[in-house]
Amino acid sequence: MAFDQSTRNRLQRFVNDARKVLQEEFIRQLQNDYGLDPISGSITGLENLRHLNDAQRETARILRDTLSHYCASGDMDGKQALDRIVREQAFTVLNRLAALRMAEARGLLVDKEVKRIKTKVHGTTCRIK
């Protein structure tokens, strides 16, 4: 089914707005929870993140490993690498939500699954895992 130009424009605006909201949420989490600041490029040492539980500490370690991997080539600095992490996470979450919605619209998910997924997604849509 082809969309007319007006529908494509509305869809593009929605996707851009949704991506922006997700990126803002990921930036907030990186700054407040994981000691990574995509705005300034600063990185707090893992040992200074005493407020994290074991699962969050593992996420913080994985984020730092990813950051190191992106910076290893020398093509980007910490700030650029953090920006890439934010963009990739937002892209992934948005695509997963779109896929769930399309599966729901096509009747591929039973009501019980839809309710369980929506409940989980509503509470943790933007949690970096």
Side-chain angles (χ1 to χ4, degrees):
M1 170 170 94
F3 292 135
D4 61 25
Q5 189 61 46
S6 172
T7 302
R8 283 195 301 268
N9 289 343
R10 285 193 342 255
L11 182 60
Q12 183 63 50
R13 279 192 304 275
F14 170 78
V15 168
N16 289 340
D17 290 347
R19 187 180 305 128
K20 182 179 178 189
V21 168
L22 289 167
Q23 288 177 332
E24 289 170 353
E25 176 58 21
F26 285 129
I27 288 169
R28 186 199 64 74
Q29 284 182 43
L30 288 173
Q31 291 170 329
N32 296 339
D33 299 339
Y34 298 106
L36 303 169
D37 190 348
I39 307 301
S40 69
S42 67
I43 301 165
T44 301
L46 202 52
E47 65 280 357
N48 295 327
L49 302 176
R50 292 176 176 74
H51 64 283
L52 300 180
N53 63 33
D54 289 341
Q56 292 170 320
R57 186 170 300 285
E58 179 63 12
T59 299
R61 186 194 61 74
I62 291 168
L63 286 166
R64 281 161 177 75
D65 288 349
T66 303
L67 183 66
S68 294
H69 173 74
Y70 290 163
C71 292
S73 67
D75 292 339
M76 59 179 72
D77 60 19
K79 186 175 177 180
Q80 292 168 319
L82 286 168
D83 185 56
R84 178 177 171 183
I85 289 171
V86 168
R87 282 183 289 112
E88 287 178 353
Q89 288 294 320
F91 180 83
T92 299
V93 169
L94 187 57
N95 282 349
R96 288 179 181 175
L97 291 173
L100 284 172
R101 181 62 188 105
M102 287 187 291
E104 181 183 14
R106 288 169 176 78
L108 299 174
L109 299 174
V110 294
D111 287 340
K112 185 177 173 182
E113 289 174 323
V114 171
K115 186 173 184 176
R116 181 184 59 81
I117 291 168
K118 282 184 177 178
T119 300
K120 185 175 180 179
V121 167
H122 178 70
T124 60
T125 297
C126 298
R127 295 302 305 170
I128 297 174
K129 293 189 178 186

